Amino acid sequence: MQSVVQFIIAEQNADGGWGATTNIASDVDITSAAIQALVAAGNTGGTNAALTFLHAQQNADGGFPPQKPWATNSASTAWALHALAALGEPLSNWTVNGKTPRDALLALQHEEGWF
């Protein structure tokens, strides 16, 4: 397990996030997955920088795109919400224009219930 944690930490980009492969731009989905993996392994090394990256990616509607300047989508917002929950981050710390990521996700829900 330690070698997996070391690999994840070693692959963190300078902006605090992670990309889908080595030497690729960071994105919200992979960064959120890396945060969850580190928390599950009991090592939160690098997560402060990752939170800084996520804050920089958050859109004005409170949600998340895969990368700026794209629009908020339900998948990336859900990934970010999972990462924030894993770290015990209060959503009040993630309010933009009065909207949290949860608000943004619910706004993307269709009348039939799907996202």
Side-chain angles (χ1 to χ4, degrees):
M1 177 68 81
Q2 187 58 28
S3 63
V4 172
V5 170
Q6 290 170 338
F7 175 80
I8 292 171
I9 291 171
E11 294 303 317
Q12 189 170 21
N13 291 329
D15 63 6
W18 283 269
T21 63
T22 58
N23 301 316
I24 195 167
S26 299
D27 69 66
V28 168
D29 301 9
I30 303 303
T31 298
S32 297
I35 289 170
Q36 291 173 75
L38 289 171
V39 170
N43 185 328
T44 56
T47 58
N48 285 338
L51 289 176
T52 298
F53 170 78
L54 289 179
H55 263 296
Q57 299 303 305
Q58 192 174 16
N59 280 334
D61 63 1
F64 291 88
Q67 295 174 321
K68 286 275 190 164
W70 298 344
T72 294
N73 71 52
S74 58
S76 296
T77 302
W79 274 111
L81 280 166
H82 281 279
L84 299 176
L87 288 168
E89 277 285 304
L91 290 183
S92 60
N93 292 347
W94 295 83
T95 303
V96 178
N97 297 324
K99 305 280 186 184
T100 67
R102 181 181 181 277
D103 296 326
L105 183 61
L106 290 174
L108 293 169
Q109 187 173 21
H110 291 263
E111 187 175 301
E112 297 84 8
W114 55 271
F115 291 89

